[in-house]
Amino acid sequence: MSSEPHTILVFSHRDDVRESIITAIGRRPAADIGRVNYIEAAQVSDVLAEMDAGTVDLAILDGEAQPTGGMGVSRQLNSELAQCPPIVVTVLRKDDRWLATWSKADAVLVHPLDPVTAAETVADILRARKLPTATGAGGRGAAT
């Protein structure tokens, strides 16, 4: 188990959406992951600053955020950052999951978030993130 808590960035222009994401995942998504800390961002500029700082282990972006949605931000981050942390995009409709392919997101969660699915998704991504660090694979594992 990791002794250092993981840092998860949660982006949405709406407080209630950020709260629902954090509540669904919880402070400890899995026993072997340990505790997580959250950074909340309401603006894209905050997301970019946090991601540039290099302290984020995982970003969860609201695909419905206004004026710039999480899918566009995901694509931008994946294109601009050499070592982009994994990104999860949340959407309102299951039919929008295909957009995650375009946005280069590592996973998609559909609102209303199921706490078990959300926590498992985050835990799986954080576990996988530990594996490729020594391989020099550009910080990205194989997409599933």
Side-chain angles (χ1 to χ4, degrees):
M1 178 169 28
S2 174
S3 59
E4 285 292 315
H6 293 282
T7 301
I8 299 175
L9 173 72
V10 178
F11 164 66
S12 178
H13 73 288
R14 294 178 43 195
D15 293 337
D16 60 322
V17 172
R18 292 193 310 270
E19 182 180 338
S20 72
I21 292 169
I22 292 168
T23 300
I25 297 165
R27 295 286 174 187
R28 191 178 185 126
D32 63 318
I33 297 299
R35 294 185 59 80
V36 296
N37 294 327
Y38 292 97
I39 299 171
E40 294 187 45
Q43 299 178 6
V44 173
S45 60
D46 298 331
V47 173
L48 298 177
E50 291 293 342
M51 296 294 270
D52 283 341
T55 59
V56 174
D57 296 306
L58 170 67
I60 302 175
L61 310 176
D62 176 12
E64 312 299 324
Q66 297 293 325
T68 305
M71 289 183 230
V73 175
S74 174
R75 186 165 177 91
Q76 177 182 351
L77 291 168
N78 275 291
S79 297
E80 294 178 359
L81 295 177
Q83 296 285 329
C84 187
I87 296 174
V88 175
V89 173
T90 64
V91 296
L92 288 177
R93 300 175 333 132
K94 284 184 180 181
D95 291 345
D96 290 337
R97 294 172 74 94
W98 70 271
L99 287 168
T101 303
W102 173 84
S103 74
K104 301 180 181 179
D106 295 276
V108 178
L109 294 172
V110 180
H111 287 283
L113 300 180
D114 172 57
V116 173
T117 301
E120 286 177 354
T121 299
V122 166
D124 288 346
I125 290 172
L126 291 174
R127 282 184 202 108
R129 179 157 191 211
K130 292 180 187 177
L131 299 176
T133 56
T135 66
R140 312 282 306 173
T144 54

